[in-house]
Amino acid sequence: MGAVALGPERTLEQDSTFAFRIIVDIAIKALSKAINDPTTAVLSIDQLQRLLRLVGGRHLLGEEILDGSGKLRGIFRTPNWEDFVQLTFSEIRLYGAENFQIARRLRAMIENLAQTLPEHRHPALRNELELLNRAIEKLYIFPEDVALARVPDPQGLGGASAASAVIAGATPRQVSP
């Protein structure tokens, strides 16, 4: 009984996705039409990137408990890598891809994680990059805006040289984790 904790609400110590959920909520509130604060959303994405890098470097436990003879004794739900990635990206992409800062910051996060995490973490990141690309293609009317939204920028819309290159007609580099 001492291994089971019951309480009235989720806690960060007991629920590994709860911290992600809180930060994603801050980002999507900042992206709401009523608040319209993409800079706060970018700061939230910074923290989500740190958390994803930590989780991506860990061995995530399976969902089955086997006894010494290999017989299944219990099943419990634990988040896997794909759960963390979807939680991090899906709603922010949905509410924020129409904003240059968010589209660029999400792309920069995907690119950074692909460079710093092991190869077996890349398929979920590639999937998110594909979804981001499709959202950008659907949302932006002008090719120049599509090109600008596809430039990875850890500041969102702060990299003057990258923005100048796109405006000048240069092709932004392709990102493939």
Side-chain angles (χ1 to χ4, degrees), residues 21 25-26 33 62-63 67 80-81 89 96 98 108 114 121 154 163 171:
R21 179 75 263 161
D25 284 349
I26 291 168
K33 302 294 183 196
E63 300 173 357
D67 66 14
N80 61 28
W81 173 245
F89 286 97
E98 66 188 19
R121 300 295 190 210
T171 305

Side-chain angles (χ1 to χ4, degrees), residues 48-60:
L48 289 165
Q49 179 176 328
R50 285 183 53 242
L51 289 174
L52 272 180
R53 191 176 307 114
L54 287 171
V55 170
R58 293 187 176 175
H59 172 71
L60 301 175

Side-chain angles (χ1 to χ4, degrees), residues 15 20 25 35 42 55-56 72 78 94 97 103 112 128 133 164 169 176:
D15 185 348
F20 284 80
D25 284 349
I35 296 174
V42 166
V55 170
L72 181 63
T78 58
L94 176 66
N112 177 273
E128 289 302 329
N133 285 335
S164 299
S176 52

Side-chain angles (χ1 to χ4, degrees), residues 100-112:
F100 288 116
Q101 284 189 57
I102 303 309
R104 292 163 58 109
R105 182 61 186 98
L106 288 175
R107 184 175 301 276
M109 176 167 50
I110 292 168
E111 191 174 89
N112 177 273

